[in-house]
């Protein structure tokens, strides 16, 4: 284990000291002004740096925690601790009888952040909704000309094809018209990628020729305002005193102390230097419980850890026989015991057990190295070399990717495959993976919205190639099934189609499904009101430090 690195900037050190003392008081500037009197501080030991602060561009939880959930709001949102939809920036909405038109009545009086680099002249209105969505849906949008960006969720979930128009009815009414029914459309809008940005701020950046700053100097309507960011060290936020739901923001200062080593994160919580830590290894969680110094929250994870197999033409795993061999050669029970230490469950397929539409008759794949050898010989790939990528960070679906990769490497060696282990910094790992650079790649998913389409569409559709479909799997038969399922609101019909989709995945083997995990959070004793989210996010509304 690496030695803890506690050297931070002076400001961070002060804040960490305050957190250690149970939320002592300090003066804090916030939302373009300052407050006199006391202010509480919460320090979150986060596992990695965000890829950026423009949530529409990304798909990873570390980025959403640091950007969307702290700085922005969606038209609709998930109630804390649930997958139920509630109003956000839209106070109400109506859906047409044919299910193709959504009319949103927007909340009035909502303020955008005032920062050192932007002072809004107006409140949130329909123009901001139009900018946010038109930019994602139209590659020819003027803002994209100067700052080209990819919006993988909008593409992966079919929104680019399904949304016909986003129109301003008046300053506080927006109408979205779909080309066809999209059953999980409202759930999709509650996801972080669809959170709303400021059109006025975008216009300012355009006038200055600084469009890229939208990803580094964010402006939102959310509960906190960004004050500073040092990559791989810390992010500092202050309470947005003009927040439309400000009674639910009970922290004056929020600090992300970026701490990649999970053992160090656990130590910092026990020592009182951090208020909260996620994605700790099982042994660390058990040690924290025994210490009695922290509170531990746990729940069954809505996640799946898997090994993506690059099925693009010319790659070693383009042959389905090789993909099957890679699967059969892995001793998954040994991985569950060593990596998850009893806090994981063997995965039979892509969907977790708690997801509606899951095929409960699916069985986890076998461990059969002899059959794997035969398939590799049949495919002409015996004694081949292959790259095996592993994540540099802990995720809820994989608490120790390096150990898992080493075990898979050893298993593959037994059937004649020479696996080279590869890793990169988290943001680069995801970026390179999306470009299809990996032969095989440990990755995973925590469901975003409670709908099966969130899994199939985002991870294995043709539209998701270049996004979260790291293996480049594109099968027209499978695609048709999941598009048909998305295009009806009849849950019985959708379930039948998802059963068919799971059968096709069993035959075509785009990935090796490994585990579903239990998720945990370590909390300092003085942290109150924190809820471990079913969708994997870390949210701070309603959380206080006593």
């Amino acid at each position: 284990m690496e030695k803890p690195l506690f050297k931070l900037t002076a400001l961070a050190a002060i804040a960490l000291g305050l957190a250690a003392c149970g939320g002592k008081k300090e003066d804090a500037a916030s939302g373009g002004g300052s407050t006199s009197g006391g202010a509480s501080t919460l320090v979150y030991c986060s596992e990695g740096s965000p890829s950026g602060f423009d949530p529409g561009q990304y798909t990873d939880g570390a980025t959403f925690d640091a950007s969307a959930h702290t700085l922005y709001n969606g038209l609709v949102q998930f109630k804390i601790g649930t997958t139920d939809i509630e109003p956000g920036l839209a106070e109400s909405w109506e859906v047409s009888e044919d299910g193709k038109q959504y009319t949103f009545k927007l909340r009035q009086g909502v303020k955008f952040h005032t920062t050192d680099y932007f002072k809004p002249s107006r409140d949130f209105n329909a123009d901001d909704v139009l900018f946010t969505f038109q930019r994602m849906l139209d590659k020819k949008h003027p803002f994209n000309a100067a700052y080209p960006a990819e919006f993988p969720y909008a593409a992966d979930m079919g929104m680019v094809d399904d949304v016909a128009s986003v129109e301003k009815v008046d300053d506080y009414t927006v109408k979205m018209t779909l080309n066809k029914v999209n059953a999980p459309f409202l759930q999709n809008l509650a996801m972080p990628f669809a959170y709303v940005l400021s059109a006025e701020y975008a216009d300012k950046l355009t006038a200055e020729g600084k469009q890229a700053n939208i990803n580094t100097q964010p402006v939102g309507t959310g509960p906190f305002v960004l004050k500073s960011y040092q990559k791989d060290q810390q992010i500092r936020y202050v309470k947005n005193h003009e927040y439309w739901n400000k009674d639910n923001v009970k922290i004056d200062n929020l600090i992300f102390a970026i701490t990649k080593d999970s053992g160090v994160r656990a130590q910092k919580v026990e020592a009182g230097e951090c208020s909260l830590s996620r994605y700790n290894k099982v042994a660390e969680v058990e040690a924290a419980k025994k210490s009695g110094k922290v509170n531990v929250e746990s729940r069954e994870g809505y996640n799946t850890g898997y090994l993506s197999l690059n099925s693009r033409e010319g790659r070693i795993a383009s042959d389905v026989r090789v993909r099957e061999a890679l699967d059969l050669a892995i001793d998954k029970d040994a991985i569950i015991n060593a990596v998850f230490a009893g806090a994981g469950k063997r995965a039979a397929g892509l969907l977790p057990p708690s997801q509606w539409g899951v095929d409960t008759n699916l069985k986890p794949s076998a461990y059969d190295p002899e059959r794997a050898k035969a398939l590799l010989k049949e495919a002409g790939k015996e004694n081949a070399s292959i790259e095996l990528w592993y994540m540099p960070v802990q995720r809820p679906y994989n608490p120790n990717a390096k150990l898992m990769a080493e075990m898979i490497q050893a298993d593959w060696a037994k059937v004649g495959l020479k696996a080279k282990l590869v890793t990169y910094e988290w943001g680069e790992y995801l970026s390179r993976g999306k470009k299809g650079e990996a032969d095989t790649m440990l990755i995973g998913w925590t469901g975003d919205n409670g709908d099966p389409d969130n899994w199939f569409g985002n991870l294995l559709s043709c539209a998701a190639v270049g996004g979260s479909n790291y293996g480049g799997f594109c099968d027209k038969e499978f695609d048709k099934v999941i598009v048909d399922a998305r295009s009806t609101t009849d849950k019985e019909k959708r379930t039948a189609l998802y059963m068919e989709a799971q059968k096709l995945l069993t035959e075509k083997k785009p990935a090796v499904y490994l585990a579903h995990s239990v998720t945990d959070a370590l909390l300092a004793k003085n942290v109150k009101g924190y809820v471990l989210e079913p969708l994997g996010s870390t949210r701070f509304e309603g959380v206080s430090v006593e």
Side-chain angles (χ1 to χ4, degrees), residues 81-92:
T82 78
T83 58
D84 299 330
I85 297 293
E86 67 177 3
L89 293 178
E91 287 187 316
S92 63

Side-chain angles (χ1 to χ4, degrees), residues 59 69 84 88 173 206 236 308 311 335-336 399 443 455 537 542 544:
T59 61
H69 296 303
D84 299 330
T173 309
T206 299
R236 291 181 60 85
S308 175
S311 59
I335 285 175
I336 293 292
I443 196 67
W455 298 81
S537 55
S544 63

Side-chain angles (χ1 to χ4, degrees), residues 398-454:
N398 193 330
N400 194 340
K402 186 174 187 291
L403 174 59
M404 186 182 291
E406 291 169 345
M407 295 182 72
I408 294 173
Q409 181 187 45
D411 284 341
W412 283 352
K414 294 173 186 176
V415 299
L417 288 174
K418 302 177 184 68
K420 178 184 177 182
L421 301 188
V422 177
T423 193
Y424 295 96
E425 180 273 329
W426 182 227
E428 186 176 0
Y429 184 85
L430 295 173
S431 177
R432 286 175 175 265
K434 289 173 182 178
K435 294 174 183 176
E437 294 184 17
D439 289 331
T440 65
M441 179 179 178
L442 285 172
I443 196 67
W445 193 256
T446 297
D448 293 297
N449 64 12
D451 194 277
D453 181 69
N454 181 249

Side-chain angles (χ1 to χ4, degrees), residues 342-361:
K345 179 179 180 180
R346 279 283 309 275
L350 181 62
L351 299 184
S354 57
Q355 174 64 66
W356 70 264
V358 66
D359 186 346
T360 56
N361 293 318

Side-chain angles (χ1 to χ4, degrees), residues 316-317 319 321-323 325-326 329 369-386 412-419:
I316 184 173
D319 189 323
R321 295 171 295 183
V322 174
R323 298 200 294 274
L326 295 174
E370 293 306 315
R371 174 62 179 157
K373 288 180 185 177
L375 285 168
L376 289 171
K377 184 175 181 179
E378 184 181 319
K381 298 296 182 182
E382 66 269 42
N383 303 315
S385 296
I386 189 169
W412 283 352
K414 294 173 186 176
V415 299
L417 288 174
K418 302 177 184 68

Side-chain angles (χ1 to χ4, degrees), residues 233-265:
Q233 294 186 51
Q234 60 164 310
I235 315 172
R236 291 181 60 85
Y237 310 86
V238 291
K239 178 179 180 178
N240 177 10
H241 285 282
E242 295 186 307
Y243 189 46
W244 56 270
N245 193 19
K246 63 182 178 182
D247 290 344
N248 205 32
V249 184
K250 304 178 186 299
I251 304 163
D252 294 287
N253 298 285
L254 173 64
I255 297 173
F256 279 39
I258 299 166
T259 312
K260 294 183 178 181
D261 188 292
S262 66
V264 175
R265 293 200 299 273

